Amino acid sequence: MKDVTQLADIERQFLSALPDGRDNAVTLLKLSRTLHIGKHQASEIVARLRNAGYLVGSSKSRPNGVYFIITAQEFWETVNTIKKSIQSQQATLDALMIHEERFTRK
């Protein structure tokens, strides 16, 4: 995990605004408005923080949004959500690659 002093200012602000636990999850839209950034940038910050080892959870059911993971259940829910996303993306890629021969790189 990165030392918090090595984070960009916006990443530190994001962490400060992130609630503890799934029951307090906040949407990326709300966080982005609070921090005066775009929703896409907020999503990128989540990815950077996770890649740096911060326990940023996410929930697609109510309350939906992002939060600091504080329980094992929250951890595994987030892991499983990410795994399902990877599997979905892989299925999409596999379906596209069926047509690879039509678009051979030169």
Side-chain angles (χ1 to χ4, degrees), residues 71-86:
T71 68
Q73 181 176 348
E74 292 168 353
F75 174 82
W76 289 112
E77 284 177 357
T78 298
V79 166
N80 289 330
T81 297
I82 292 169
K83 282 183 178 181
K84 285 177 186 174
S85 177
I86 291 167

Side-chain angles (χ1 to χ4, degrees), residues 12-83:
R12 284 193 299 275
Q13 290 176 39
F14 192 94
L15 286 173
S16 293
L18 205 57
D20 288 341
R22 182 174 173 256
D23 290 342
N24 301 307
V26 62
T27 65
L28 282 180
L29 182 58
K30 184 174 180 179
L31 266 178
S32 64
R33 287 180 176 164
T34 298
L35 299 172
H36 307 289
I37 60 175
K39 187 178 172 188
H40 181 74
Q41 185 179 1
S43 181
E44 289 175 341
I45 291 170
V46 168
R48 285 198 306 270
L49 291 172
R50 285 177 170 168
N51 290 340
Y54 289 90
L55 293 173
V56 179
S58 58
S59 173
K60 294 189 186 273
S61 60
R62 297 227 177 255
N64 66 320
V66 292
Y67 56 90
F68 271 121
I69 294 170
I70 57 174
T71 68
Q73 181 176 348
E74 292 168 353
F75 174 82
W76 289 112
E77 284 177 357
T78 298
V79 166
N80 289 330
T81 297
I82 292 169
K83 282 183 178 181

